[in-house]
Amino acid sequence: MTVPPQTLSKPHKRIDNTPLGIGSMLASVLFFSLMNVLAKLLMDRFPVTEVMFFRSLFALIPVCLSIHLGKGFASTLYTRHPWGHMGRSLIGLTTMVAMFWSFHLLPLGDAIALNFAAPLFLTALSVPLLSEKVGIHRWSAVLVGFAGVLIIVRPSGDVLNLGAIIALAGALTNALAMIAIRQLSRTEPPDTIVFYFTLLTTVLLGLTLPFSWVTPEPLDWLLLVATGLLGGCGQLMLTRAYSLAPAAVVAPLNYTSLLLAVGFGWLMWGEVPTGTMVIGAAVVMASGLYILHRETRRRATPSQPLPPGDGD
């Protein structure tokens, strides 16, 4: 399957629609938050890999529908970097495993708060992996952000447990996934990256099913389908948000997911956030917002950043 070179290199004129971009970002946050709640519920009865498999499988439905209504499969499925997609998918799959596992091991709000360490890891890793220059202001924000992480996990207490370690490992691999996306996006459209990630993770997770299969009941099937549809729609809304509005406008809205996570955790499981978790999360979020501010100022023409994880 080939696409004329001029089609691939044709520049795309960006048309900003900030109100619609904000609405898309808030919709994405809601979709992903509901997906996280369903995943946490399902993992009480099913293995993590089985829940993730159906999350990826049913996410293909909205992703394929979006491609069909957009540029079509012939244009979208063409890729110059199949191995790049494979590497990005393996990293993203690791992130998904860590993220979903942390939902099972930790209160939902704690897991989401620790996942917000991803931009801190991304800033630190961009120096050796992307040869980017990071000034004293952003390095200071990274150090302050990691201090916030320490406040949340309290390494001298009883909170630095397996769940916290898994959540931080997921934040680290999330940062690696963002770097892989940034490299792929130089030549690959967002829909192509999303499609191959969703397809490859479905195939890889399907290989694990014979070793950890639990047969779902009818209600479980509905929840599994909903988990995948919410994840796919959330990813599409996230991509749409960054295509419609500047990153400095829509990216901070992602932090509202912490409020939803705390709210759902309290309503569904009686999880009340501790004072140290609230303080640490505030520090992590403030440092992430400052890094975003410095990144926006640093670039005269800001590159379009890609979302942190795939609900990944």
Side-chain angles (χ1 to χ4, degrees), residues 85-109:
H85 286 286
M86 177 60 77
R88 178 268 181 275
S89 297
L90 290 173
I91 297 170
L93 178 58
T94 305
T95 301
M96 285 179 59
V97 171
M99 184 179 70
F100 276 44
W101 195 5
S102 70
F103 293 164
H104 182 60
L105 297 172
L106 292 173
L108 194 59

Side-chain angles (χ1 to χ4, degrees), residues 17-32:
N17 186 331
T18 299
L20 190 56
I22 291 173
S24 298
M25 188 63 173
L26 291 176
S28 170
V29 169
L30 178 59
F31 287 146
F32 279 132

Side-chain angles (χ1 to χ4, degrees), residues 20 180 212 269 286:
L20 190 56
S212 59
W269 297 279

Side-chain angles (χ1 to χ4, degrees), residues 31-238:
F31 287 146
F32 279 132
S33 297
L34 291 172
M35 181 200 75
N36 294 340
V37 169
L38 293 183
K40 186 174 175 67
L41 284 170
L42 287 164
M43 284 184 295
D44 288 336
R45 301 189 298 279
F46 297 96
V48 173
T49 50
E50 185 173 347
V51 175
M52 289 172 51
F53 168 77
F54 287 112
R55 179 259 184 261
S56 295
L57 176 66
F58 292 117
L60 282 170
I61 297 174
V63 169
C64 289
L65 181 61
S66 174
I67 292 172
H68 174 70
L69 297 176
K71 295 182 179 180
F73 287 93
S75 175
T76 303
L77 298 189
Y78 176 85
T79 177
R80 298 174 178 176
H81 304 287
W83 291 111
H85 286 286
M86 177 60 77
R88 178 268 181 275
S89 297
L90 290 173
I91 297 170
L93 178 58
T94 305
T95 301
M96 285 179 59
V97 171
M99 184 179 70
F100 276 44
W101 195 5
S102 70
F103 293 164
H104 182 60
L105 297 172
L106 292 173
L108 194 59
D110 289 27
I112 295 297
L114 291 173
N115 187 254
F116 285 145
L120 310 178
F121 284 118
L122 175 62
T123 301
L125 291 172
S126 65
V127 176
L129 298 183
L130 295 176
S131 300
E132 293 186 357
K133 294 182 178 180
V134 176
I136 185 64
H137 293 280
R138 283 194 289 162
W139 274 125
S140 299
V142 168
L143 294 176
V144 171
F146 282 121
V149 170
L150 292 177
I151 293 174
I152 297 173
V153 302
R154 300 202 301 275
S156 61
D158 60 353
V159 179
L160 185 57
N161 51 26
L162 178 62
I165 294 171
I166 293 297
L168 289 174
L172 175 60
T173 56
N174 194 358
L176 292 171
M178 284 189 278
I179 290 174
I181 290 171
R182 184 178 295 182
Q183 292 172 327
L184 276 173
S185 64
R186 294 169 181 168
T187 58
E188 306 287 286
D191 281 352
T192 304
I193 298 172
V194 172
F195 173 80
Y196 281 113
F197 168 71
T198 308
L199 176 65
L200 290 171
T201 52
T202 301
V203 173
L204 293 173
L205 288 166
L207 298 176
T208 69
L209 294 181
F211 306 99
S212 59
W213 174 259
V214 176
T215 302
E217 299 292 333
L219 179 59
D220 297 327
W221 279 114
L222 291 177
L223 295 179
L224 289 167
V225 171
T227 300
L229 294 178
L230 288 168
C233 290
Q235 187 62 53
L236 292 172
M237 286 294 100
L238 192 64

